[in-house]
Amino acid sequence: MLKKTSKIAMIILAAITIFSCKTVQQANLKEIKPFVGIWNDTTNPGSKIVFKSDGSFYNLAKENGVQVVTHSGTFKILSNNMYVLNISDARIDATYDLKGRQYANYYTLGSDQKTMKVSGYVDGRNGGKGLKWASDLVKVNRLD
């Protein structure tokens, strides 16, 4: 009897654990859903940001007619006006200190969720001057 009760308890515990994990994933997806997609940076023509539903992102810039990834990593929404980027990869020749860094940024999402204003600060590389930046983003359906 004890063996049967223990087995039932383990099954119930496993089900609760699976349900809890799914709920956390669903909550995270709901939280980041407005970010997910391809965003044209109208402040810096030729630049784009892609936020993916798995919490990853990458920035693109057009150079000599070709789109190149400038930096990438993961993102997390901290509040209704702040998100954080964990940058895991960046160009070797980057002017700013990006790779391996974490930066908190600010955002204001348009009521239509198709525009967004973002801003933040990045440190200069090798003691260089940092950059306070701001961009206006517009959601698009595809990369050009």
Side-chain angles (χ1 to χ4, degrees):
M1 183 70 167
L2 182 60
K3 203 175 200 183
K4 189 174 183 178
T5 305
S6 294
K7 193 174 187 178
I8 292 171
M10 291 299 286
I11 291 171
I12 292 171
L13 183 60
I16 290 170
T17 302
I18 290 168
F19 178 75
S20 296
C21 290
K22 188 175 180 182
T23 303
V24 170
Q25 290 171 343
Q26 288 171 337
N28 187 46
L29 182 57
K30 183 179 179 183
E31 185 176 84
I32 69 173
K33 189 175 180 180
F35 269 64
V36 173
I38 303 165
W39 297 85
N40 275 342
D41 183 343
T42 61
T43 308
N44 300 293
S47 295
K48 297 180 185 337
I49 303 172
V50 178
F51 291 105
K52 297 174 67 178
S53 61
D54 65 358
S56 65
F57 81 95
Y58 57 95
N59 280 46
L60 298 165
K62 196 169 232 176
E63 295 179 3
N64 299 321
V66 177
Q67 294 273 350
V68 295
V69 175
T70 59
H71 57 287
S72 62
T74 60
F75 72 99
K76 181 169 177 56
I77 309 299
L78 299 178
S79 69
N80 64 354
N81 71 342
M82 185 182 281
Y83 67 102
V84 66
L85 296 179
N86 289 300
I87 303 170
S88 57
D89 195 31
R91 295 174 59 159
I92 295 170
D93 61 348
T95 304
Y96 301 100
D97 195 8
L98 301 175
K99 186 174 181 176
R101 300 293 301 267
Q102 183 180 70
Y103 289 103
N105 298 319
Y106 298 92
Y107 74 95
T108 303
L109 195 60
S111 60
D112 61 358
Q113 296 192 346
K114 295 191 184 288
T115 61
M116 183 166 39
K117 293 181 180 294
V118 292
S119 63
Y121 179 85
V122 292
D123 294 319
R125 191 167 181 171
N126 299 322
K129 186 176 179 180
L131 174 70
K132 185 176 181 180
W133 61 272
S135 293
D136 293 322
L137 307 177
V138 175
K139 195 177 262 191
V140 296
N141 293 325
R142 61 189 173 105
L143 293 171
D144 292 331

